[in-house]
mmCIF file of all heavy atoms in Angstrom:
data_model
loop_
_atom_site.group_PDB
_atom_site.id
_atom_site.type_symbol
_atom_site.label_atom_id
_atom_site.label_comp_id
_atom_site.label_asym_id
_atom_site.label_seq_id
_atom_site.Cartn_x
_atom_site.Cartn_y
_atom_site.Cartn_z
ATOM 1 N N GLU A 22 18.130 32.261 -3.530
ATOM 2 C CA GLU A 22 19.469 32.529 -3.010
ATOM 3 C C GLU A 22 20.579 31.961 -3.892
ATOM 4 O O GLU A 22 21.629 32.569 -4.025
ATOM 5 C CB GLU A 22 19.589 31.955 -1.597
ATOM 6 C CG GLU A 22 20.836 32.385 -0.873
ATOM 7 C CD GLU A 22 20.985 33.901 -0.733
ATOM 8 O OE1 GLU A 22 19.980 34.609 -0.535
ATOM 9 O OE2 GLU A 22 22.131 34.381 -0.837
ATOM 10 N N GLY A 24 20.082 30.347 -7.237
ATOM 11 C CA GLY A 24 19.833 30.155 -8.661
ATOM 12 C C GLY A 24 19.625 28.685 -8.991
ATOM 13 O O GLY A 24 19.696 27.818 -8.116
ATOM 14 N N PHE A 25 19.362 28.404 -10.250
ATOM 15 C CA PHE A 25 19.130 27.020 -10.660
ATOM 16 C C PHE A 25 20.422 26.217 -10.590
ATOM 17 O O PHE A 25 20.478 25.161 -9.974
ATOM 18 C CB PHE A 25 18.546 26.972 -12.078
ATOM 19 C CG PHE A 25 18.330 25.573 -12.574
ATOM 20 C CD1 PHE A 25 17.241 24.839 -12.149
ATOM 21 C CD2 PHE A 25 19.227 24.985 -13.458
ATOM 22 C CE1 PHE A 25 17.039 23.537 -12.586
ATOM 23 C CE2 PHE A 25 19.030 23.689 -13.910
ATOM 24 C CZ PHE A 25 17.936 22.959 -13.475
ATOM 25 N N GLY A 49 8.427 16.347 -9.938
ATOM 26 C CA GLY A 49 9.179 15.997 -11.144
ATOM 27 C C GLY A 49 10.658 16.226 -10.911
ATOM 28 O O GLY A 49 11.146 16.133 -9.801
ATOM 29 N N LYS A 51 14.363 18.528 -11.158
ATOM 30 C CA LYS A 51 14.773 19.833 -10.630
ATOM 31 C C LYS A 51 14.296 20.970 -11.540
ATOM 32 O O LYS A 51 13.851 22.008 -11.055
ATOM 33 C CB LYS A 51 16.299 19.860 -10.475
ATOM 34 C CG LYS A 51 16.857 21.154 -9.943
ATOM 35 C CD LYS A 51 18.379 21.037 -9.816
ATOM 36 C CE LYS A 51 19.048 22.367 -9.993
ATOM 37 N NZ LYS A 51 20.511 22.285 -10.027
ATOM 38 N N GLU A 66 4.573 37.906 -6.547
ATOM 39 C CA GLU A 66 5.178 39.235 -6.676
ATOM 40 C C GLU A 66 4.302 40.156 -7.526
ATOM 41 O O GLU A 66 4.128 41.324 -7.197
ATOM 42 C CB GLU A 66 6.579 39.141 -7.289
ATOM 43 C CG GLU A 66 7.646 38.784 -6.297
ATOM 44 C CD GLU A 66 7.818 39.833 -5.215
ATOM 45 O OE1 GLU A 66 8.254 40.961 -5.513
ATOM 46 O OE2 GLU A 66 7.527 39.520 -4.048
ATOM 47 N N MET A 73 -0.146 47.112 -4.443
ATOM 48 C CA MET A 73 0.473 48.396 -4.085
ATOM 49 C C MET A 73 0.030 49.497 -5.048
ATOM 50 O O MET A 73 -0.359 50.581 -4.620
ATOM 51 C CB MET A 73 2.001 48.295 -4.124
ATOM 52 C CG MET A 73 2.612 47.462 -3.039
ATOM 53 S SD MET A 73 2.534 48.285 -1.437
ATOM 54 C CE MET A 73 1.437 47.203 -0.573
ATOM 55 N N LEU A 81 -0.388 58.121 -8.541
ATOM 56 C CA LEU A 81 1.047 58.254 -8.257
ATOM 57 C C LEU A 81 1.391 57.710 -6.870
ATOM 58 O O LEU A 81 2.476 57.157 -6.676
ATOM 59 C CB LEU A 81 1.500 59.716 -8.393
ATOM 60 C CG LEU A 81 3.008 59.946 -8.267
ATOM 61 C CD1 LEU A 81 3.796 59.153 -9.318
ATOM 62 C CD2 LEU A 81 3.328 61.427 -8.372
ATOM 63 N N GLY A 83 0.078 55.096 -5.485
ATOM 64 C CA GLY A 83 0.195 53.657 -5.656
ATOM 65 C C GLY A 83 1.510 53.261 -6.308
ATOM 66 O O GLY A 83 2.144 52.273 -5.917
ATOM 67 N N ASN A 94 12.041 45.333 0.212
ATOM 68 C CA ASN A 94 12.277 43.895 0.041
ATOM 69 C C ASN A 94 13.513 43.584 -0.783
ATOM 70 O O ASN A 94 13.781 42.426 -1.076
ATOM 71 C CB ASN A 94 11.059 43.245 -0.615
ATOM 72 C CG ASN A 94 9.849 43.290 0.277
ATOM 73 O OD1 ASN A 94 9.923 42.955 1.447
ATOM 74 N ND2 ASN A 94 8.733 43.737 -0.260
ATOM 75 N N GLY A 101 12.553 36.240 -9.955
ATOM 76 C CA GLY A 101 12.265 36.665 -11.318
ATOM 77 C C GLY A 101 13.486 37.270 -11.988
ATOM 78 O O GLY A 101 13.885 36.854 -13.088
ATOM 79 N N SER A 103 16.640 37.037 -10.985
ATOM 80 C CA SER A 103 17.741 36.064 -11.067
ATOM 81 C C SER A 103 17.549 35.065 -12.191
ATOM 82 O O SER A 103 18.510 34.714 -12.860
ATOM 83 C CB SER A 103 17.935 35.264 -9.797
ATOM 84 O OG SER A 103 17.389 35.759 -8.698
ATOM 85 N N SER A 104 16.326 34.627 -12.405
ATOM 86 C CA SER A 104 16.120 33.644 -13.470
ATOM 87 C C SER A 104 16.335 34.273 -14.847
ATOM 88 O O SER A 104 16.851 33.630 -15.757
ATOM 89 C CB SER A 104 14.742 32.983 -13.371
ATOM 90 O OG SER A 104 13.714 33.908 -13.606
ATOM 91 N N GLN A 112 15.302 29.729 -22.363
ATOM 92 C CA GLN A 112 14.373 28.678 -21.942
ATOM 93 C C GLN A 112 12.947 29.142 -22.202
ATOM 94 O O GLN A 112 12.413 29.969 -21.457
ATOM 95 C CB GLN A 112 14.565 28.344 -20.462
ATOM 96 C CG GLN A 112 15.945 27.838 -20.124
ATOM 97 C CD GLN A 112 16.234 26.520 -20.799
ATOM 98 O OE1 GLN A 112 15.363 25.669 -20.949
ATOM 99 N NE2 GLN A 112 17.477 26.341 -21.227
ATOM 100 N N THR A 116 10.612 32.032 -20.303
ATOM 101 C CA THR A 116 10.263 33.237 -21.043
ATOM 102 C C THR A 116 8.754 33.447 -21.027
ATOM 103 O O THR A 116 8.273 34.562 -20.811
ATOM 104 C CB THR A 116 10.794 33.160 -22.492
ATOM 105 O OG1 THR A 116 12.225 33.016 -22.437
ATOM 106 C CG2 THR A 116 10.449 34.395 -23.288
ATOM 107 N N ALA A 121 4.075 36.487 -19.209
ATOM 108 C CA ALA A 121 2.709 36.550 -18.676
ATOM 109 C C ALA A 121 2.641 37.468 -17.456
ATOM 110 O O ALA A 121 1.738 38.306 -17.349
ATOM 111 C CB ALA A 121 2.226 35.144 -18.317
ATOM 112 N N ASP A 123 4.792 39.853 -16.650
ATOM 113 C CA ASP A 123 5.111 41.221 -17.077
ATOM 114 C C ASP A 123 3.913 41.895 -17.735
ATOM 115 O O ASP A 123 3.626 43.060 -17.458
ATOM 116 C CB ASP A 123 6.300 41.224 -18.041
ATOM 117 C CG ASP A 123 7.622 40.887 -17.365
ATOM 118 O OD1 ASP A 123 7.676 40.912 -16.120
ATOM 119 O OD2 ASP A 123 8.590 40.592 -18.085
ATOM 120 N N ALA A 137 -2.295 58.996 -13.498
ATOM 121 C CA ALA A 137 -1.419 60.004 -12.886
ATOM 122 C C ALA A 137 -1.143 61.139 -13.870
ATOM 123 O O ALA A 137 -1.042 62.302 -13.461
ATOM 124 C CB ALA A 137 -0.117 59.358 -12.421
ATOM 125 N N ALA A 139 -3.303 62.135 -16.192
ATOM 126 C CA ALA A 139 -4.561 62.891 -16.243
ATOM 127 C C ALA A 139 -4.712 63.800 -15.016
ATOM 128 O O ALA A 139 -5.289 64.885 -15.102
ATOM 129 C CB ALA A 139 -5.753 61.940 -16.345
ATOM 130 N N ALA A 149 2.837 56.303 -21.740
ATOM 131 C CA ALA A 149 2.593 55.575 -20.489
ATOM 132 C C ALA A 149 3.224 54.187 -20.494
ATOM 133 O O ALA A 149 3.780 53.753 -19.478
ATOM 134 C CB ALA A 149 1.092 55.475 -20.232
ATOM 135 N N PHE A 155 10.194 51.700 -18.112
ATOM 136 C CA PHE A 155 11.276 52.350 -17.375
ATOM 137 C C PHE A 155 11.198 51.992 -15.885
ATOM 138 O O PHE A 155 12.224 51.686 -15.258
ATOM 139 C CB PHE A 155 11.210 53.862 -17.571
ATOM 140 C CG PHE A 155 12.178 54.617 -16.715
ATOM 141 C CD1 PHE A 155 13.530 54.650 -17.020
ATOM 142 C CD2 PHE A 155 11.732 55.282 -15.579
ATOM 143 C CE1 PHE A 155 14.429 55.337 -16.209
ATOM 144 C CE2 PHE A 155 12.625 55.974 -14.773
ATOM 145 C CZ PHE A 155 13.976 55.999 -15.082
ATOM 146 N N ILE A 165 19.116 44.386 -8.280
ATOM 147 C CA ILE A 165 20.498 43.986 -8.564
ATOM 148 C C ILE A 165 21.464 44.804 -7.715
ATOM 149 O O ILE A 165 22.433 44.263 -7.166
ATOM 150 C CB ILE A 165 20.807 44.099 -10.074
ATOM 151 C CG1 ILE A 165 20.011 43.030 -10.840
ATOM 152 C CG2 ILE A 165 22.299 43.964 -10.346
ATOM 153 C CD1 ILE A 165 20.006 43.208 -12.345
ATOM 154 N N LEU A 182 14.816 58.669 -7.786
ATOM 155 C CA LEU A 182 15.204 59.181 -9.109
ATOM 156 C C LEU A 182 14.304 58.611 -10.209
ATOM 157 O O LEU A 182 13.955 59.320 -11.148
ATOM 158 C CB LEU A 182 16.668 58.850 -9.385
ATOM 159 C CG LEU A 182 17.682 59.682 -8.605
ATOM 160 C CD1 LEU A 182 19.092 59.111 -8.780
ATOM 161 C CD2 LEU A 182 17.634 61.133 -9.042
ATOM 162 N N LEU A 184 11.164 57.744 -9.880
ATOM 163 C CA LEU A 184 9.892 58.456 -9.781
ATOM 164 C C LEU A 184 10.021 59.892 -10.286
ATOM 165 O O LEU A 184 9.140 60.398 -10.970
ATOM 166 C CB LEU A 184 9.371 58.442 -8.344
ATOM 167 C CG LEU A 184 8.879 57.078 -7.853
ATOM 168 C CD1 LEU A 184 8.688 57.085 -6.349
ATOM 169 C CD2 LEU A 184 7.607 56.685 -8.565
#
Side-chain angles (χ1 to χ4, degrees):
E22 190 58 37
F25 178 78
K51 180 179 151 186
E66 278 297 293
M73 290 288 114
L81 186 59
N94 294 312
S103 342
S104 66
Q112 299 296 324
T116 300
D123 289 346
F155 173 76
I165 291 168
L182 286 170
L184 289 167

